Amino acid sequence: MSSVNHTGRAVQAEQLSRRFGDFTAVDGLSLTVEQGEIFGFLGANGAGKTTAIRMFCGLLAPSAGEAWVDGLSIRTQSEEIKRRIGYMSQRFGLYDDLSVRENLEFYGGIYGLGQAEIHSRGEALLARLDLAEWGTRRTGSLPLGYKQRLALGVAILHRPRILFLDEPTGGVDPVARRAFWDLIYEVAADGTTVFVTTHYMDEAEYCGRVSIMTAGRIAALDRPAVLKAQWGAKDMQAVFLRVVSA
Amino acid sequence: MSPVLELTGLARAYEGRPALRELSLTLEAGHTLGLIGPDGAGKTTAMRIACGLLTPDQGSAKVAGLDCLTQARQMRALLGYMPQRFSLYPDLTVDENLRFFAELHGITAAERHIRREKLLAFSRLEPFVKRRAGHLSGGMKQKLALACTLIHEPRLLILDEPTTGVDPVSRQEFWALLGELASGGMALWISTPYMDEALRCDEVQLLHLGRVIAQGPPAEIARAFPRRILRFPGLAPAALTPLLAGLSGVTVHRFGHDLHVVCDTAQEDALRERAQSAGLEVESEEPGLEDAFFELVAVAELAA
Ligand SMILES: Nc1ncnc2c1ncn2[C@@H]1O[C@H](COP(=O)(O)OP(=O)(O)OP(=O)(O)O)[C@@H](O)[C@H]1O
Ligand SMILES: [Mg+2]
């Protein structure tokens, strides 16, 4: 397995599994994501997406198999992985009692950025995320779409090479979702790899490639256009329904 | 007979900041009313007032003729409410949660078993009934919360963005179940960020900055769309920019793998000419509810 050339790949998983007691949440997952891709990690509820992402981010140990993130082993180099990736979890993990700016400063500190860099990078991000006017607002009082943009800002503060986004647009209105995807494209244009989960099938179309998981395994993986042709479906919604019900 | 839900001139501010400026509606038995709008439009505030959890600054809320403030106790017996963040008991299993909510509403064991079957089918949680709720995935928790809300079949069901995080298969099955409940006479008031769900409602209201800016059957709202929509099949977004040069007020929205170019009739002629001389294919697109949402919100934003 170690003979596989995983260097240069953003994410490579080989027979990755995770069990909870006698239940297998991720069941022999293998996939490769190249640097710079926008990869859509789709699947049914409970399919194992969040569990897999937590393993890639070095937050959860695998029960079997191995994966490399930016060429680093999730088993032995998880601390180094955490410095190279950004992670936006299904629940944002922002501090509600801190202001928008304080959240950026706090996380900047965690990532070990210096004061000057936190300041310059933070202000640049606030402007880019259209949050400059909101800098002093208590994070808990922000509308959902703003919190979600701030969570993205926090995740890219330290210029990660790979960005893991777990349902970043859950519950967000159609206008704010489009605006958020414009930001994802901007981040990807800088060369960052984006690994994203979503239950909005129009967003699946915005990804270069997507995988669809059911019960811990990948049931389909390709470019959206190829999957639509393969499954004789007019859009990704129809592909998803067919793959998951198959 | 009084309507199942009647809201009249509701308004509410938080610390001087208006969240809801003016909302009125009537909802009859067997009908489904959708509430859509951008984040912060006032949807949750309106629903909390209707549930008697929040006092309005102005206006009144009535459920089956009962005042939501002064007759809150009788009113609540008729109501099922699922807030955006519903709390399950993380230490109880899926089954224990269902049973807890059933007992809370005084549902008989026989009735509970029938409903349990239905709810486990739509939610696909049957294999996981013995798992602790705290160990479910995000979407599974959401579906269990829905099941707990639906275990008592009230006359009025108020659901605040119930399908956030729920996968496309379960969303479809969930809406089939709602359809059954509505046919049985239940009245449903649902907020959602999904336009495909709004389309399944008998009527929708579009709320923006605390005011209704459009309402009616969803297909009619889409049909009233005042501008034209063009598509350029196979054209990359970057290649569109030169085509639009000098045409002000044309807006472009991403729709899956497509782009919708929204324009006026004069601009449409110009765009078709340019496309023809560039040898590009052009198609007209029927406006959908999502197009209407963008347009109506943009117009309201300019006026605000
Ligand atoms: N700590 C745990 N103990 C037991 N089972 C768990 C635990 N964590 C996760 N699981 C189970 O693992 C499976 C996969 O969960 P996961 O959160 O990875 O799903 P998901 O694909 O992210 O789903 P969703 O789309 O709903 O977010 C689920 O059946 C879940 O109940
Ligand atoms: Mg998840």
Side-chain angles (χ1 to χ4, degrees), chain A residues 23, chain B residues 94 120 123-131 140:
Chain A
F23 176 77
Chain B
V94 167
L120 288 176
S123 61
R124 304 193 165 211
L125 288 173
E126 179 71 62
F128 307 106
V129 287
K130 297 216 157 50
R131 186 167 299 173
M140 290 159 88

Side-chain angles (χ1 to χ4, degrees), chain A residues 46 48-51 90 166-167 197 199, chain B residues 137-139:
Chain A
K49 303 179 295 296
T50 298
T51 306
Q90 216 164 345
D166 196 356
E167 286 188 46
T197 74
H199 288 300
Chain B
S137 77

Side-chain angles (χ1 to χ4, degrees), chain A residues 23 43-46 90-91 137 143-147 167 170-178 181-182 185 199-202 205-206 228 234 237 240-241 244-245, chain B residues 17 37-40 84-85 124 128 131 137-141 143 161 164-172 193-196 253-257 290 293-294 297:
Chain A
F23 176 77
N45 292 131
Q90 216 164 345
R91 273 175 268 175
R137 268 286 277 271
L144 181 65
Y146 289 77
K147 270 193 198 155
E167 286 188 46
V172 172
D173 75 64
V175 179
R177 284 202 298 120
R178 281 347 182 250
W181 271 89
D182 288 338
Y185 279 128
H199 288 300
Y200 290 93
M201 289 305 115
D202 57 340
E205 310 264 5
Y206 307 156
K228 282 183 276 187
K234 72 174 194 321
Q237 171 92 8
F240 188 98
L241 295 177
V244 171
S245 315
Chain B
R17 242 187 271 249
D39 290 340
Q84 236 166 351
R85 270 186 231 127
R124 304 193 165 211
F128 307 106
R131 186 167 299 173
S137 77
M140 290 159 88
K141 277 186 196 140
K143 292 191 290 189
E161 302 197 350
T164 297
V166 174
D167 73 46
V169 175
S170 289
R171 279 204 304 124
Q172 223 176 34
Y194 283 97
M195 294 304 117
D196 61 346
H253 298 293
R254 249 198 294 278
F255 272 75
H257 63 283
E290 196 147 340
F293 182 105
F294 290 139
V297 169

Side-chain angles (χ1 to χ4, degrees), chain B residues 88-137:
Chain B
L88 296 160
Y89 291 88
D91 294 332
L92 298 188
T93 65
V94 167
D95 239 342
E96 289 164 348
N97 267 287
L98 280 171
R99 184 175 178 149
F100 174 85
F101 285 96
E103 284 171 358
L104 196 67
H105 293 292
I107 291 158
T108 63
E111 189 62 25
R112 188 176 83 228
H113 289 303
I114 299 171
R115 291 185 194 167
R116 178 182 173 280
E117 293 308 302
K118 258 204 247 173
L119 295 168
L120 288 176
F122 109 78
S123 61
R124 304 193 165 211
L125 288 173
E126 179 71 62
F128 307 106
V129 287
K130 297 216 157 50
R131 186 167 299 173
R132 288 169 46 185
H135 285 165
L136 297 175
S137 77

Side-chain angles (χ1 to χ4, degrees), chain A residues 52-138:
Chain A
I53 288 180
R54 287 169 52 80
M55 287 193 278
F56 293 145
C57 294
L59 299 168
L60 187 72
S63 312
E66 173 64 296
W68 296 268
V69 171
D70 205 20
L72 301 169
S73 158
I74 62 166
R75 284 183 178 274
T76 59
Q77 295 169 292
S78 64
E79 288 315 305
E80 178 58 23
I81 287 177
K82 283 182 194 123
R83 279 191 285 278
R84 296 211 199 162
I85 60 153
Y87 171 49
M88 184 170 156
S89 79
Q90 216 164 345
R91 273 175 268 175
F92 297 146
L94 297 169
Y95 289 89
D96 273 356
D97 293 330
L98 298 185
S99 73
V100 167
R101 220 173 242 112
E102 286 165 345
N103 261 299
L104 285 170
E105 286 164 5
F106 176 80
Y107 279 100
I110 288 199
Y111 286 122
L113 305 185
Q115 278 307 319
E117 190 176 7
I118 292 178
H119 182 77
S120 61
R121 178 88 176 131
E123 292 310 306
L125 278 175
L126 285 181
R128 182 161 160 192
L129 301 171
D130 219 0
L131 286 172
E133 294 165 46
W134 297 75
T136 55
R137 268 286 277 271
R138 207 177 70 86

